[in-house]
Amino acid sequence: MPEIARVVNSSSLGGAACRCVENQTCRSCTQRRLYVCRLVHVDGLTYAEAAERAGLTARRVRVLVSHECDRRELEQFKLDSSATARVRAFLERELERNPALTRAELAHRLCVQQADLDRQLGYEPTRSGERQRRIGIPAASRLVIALGRTPHELDGC
């Protein structure tokens, strides 16, 4: 059974009682972290000024801001989609290699309409009029497998 986080007194958190002292993943901590980060990085306040405005200690503000900076840095490395231009280039190379294969045949292999495949790959605009710029890794992997290749052959999958 998971250990229940204990409620700490408000003085140890600089005026804000919280149940997730270790992970800081509750909604309150998330909102507090975003708020003080905005105060420091967007509004240009010092840690002491942001702490005074948020009702926290300067030490707590530093911790929250550093956690938000870490979270944003890690977000840059998250690979949950690939550029459609990269997938289209891979597809074009495969279509040149195998002239008998067409986008219509590929759509049939994927059990989708060709128009939907063209929209997903950015050949055609979506209903909003914009062209798709990113494709999810699972969809890109299915496309590469339908081409008879392995997903790792496409950079980013």
Side-chain angles (χ1 to χ4, degrees):
M1 191 162 133
E3 181 180 329
I4 299 174
R6 60 187 168 82
V7 177
V8 293
N9 64 25
S10 61
S11 63
S12 66
L13 290 175
C18 181
R19 294 182 182 269
C20 66
V21 176
E22 300 285 323
N23 302 333
Q24 298 173 1
T25 57
C26 73
R27 290 180 184 170
S28 297
C29 283
T30 300
Q31 291 301 315
R32 200 173 290 121
R33 186 180 70 229
L34 292 171
Y35 177 64
V36 297
C37 192
R38 183 177 54 84
L39 290 175
V40 171
H41 291 297
V42 176
D43 296 345
L45 299 179
T46 65
Y47 290 114
E49 293 168 337
E52 185 178 322
R53 188 172 294 179
L56 302 169
T57 63
R59 179 177 165 267
R60 181 73 176 147
V61 169
R62 283 183 196 275
V63 168
L64 290 172
V65 169
S66 73
H67 284 189
E68 181 60 17
C69 289
D70 291 345
R71 188 195 66 77
R72 288 180 183 177
E73 184 179 350
L74 284 175
E75 188 73 25
Q76 294 175 5
F77 298 110
K78 183 172 122 179
L79 187 59
D80 61 350
S81 65
S82 184
T84 55
R86 181 182 301 166
V87 177
R88 280 194 314 267
F90 183 84
L91 175 60
E92 295 300 326
R93 283 193 306 270
E94 289 301 311
L95 293 177
E96 285 176 11
R97 262 188 61 222
N98 185 357
L101 184 64
T102 63
R103 289 197 322 247
E105 173 61 27
L106 182 61
H108 178 70
R109 290 181 185 181
L110 291 168
C111 299
V112 298
Q113 298 290 320
Q114 182 180 352
D116 293 334
L117 180 66
D118 288 347
R119 274 191 223 105
Q120 191 175 26
L121 294 176
Y123 286 112
E124 295 293 326
T126 61
R127 290 182 181 97
S128 66
E130 297 178 7
R131 294 194 185 272
Q132 195 77 9
R133 289 187 245 170
R134 312 268 323 154
I135 184 172
I137 295 298
S141 294
R142 283 192 305 273
L143 180 112
V144 172
I145 290 169
L147 288 168
R149 309 293 286 210
T150 57
H152 75 273
E153 293 180 51
L154 175 64
D155 291 335
C157 277

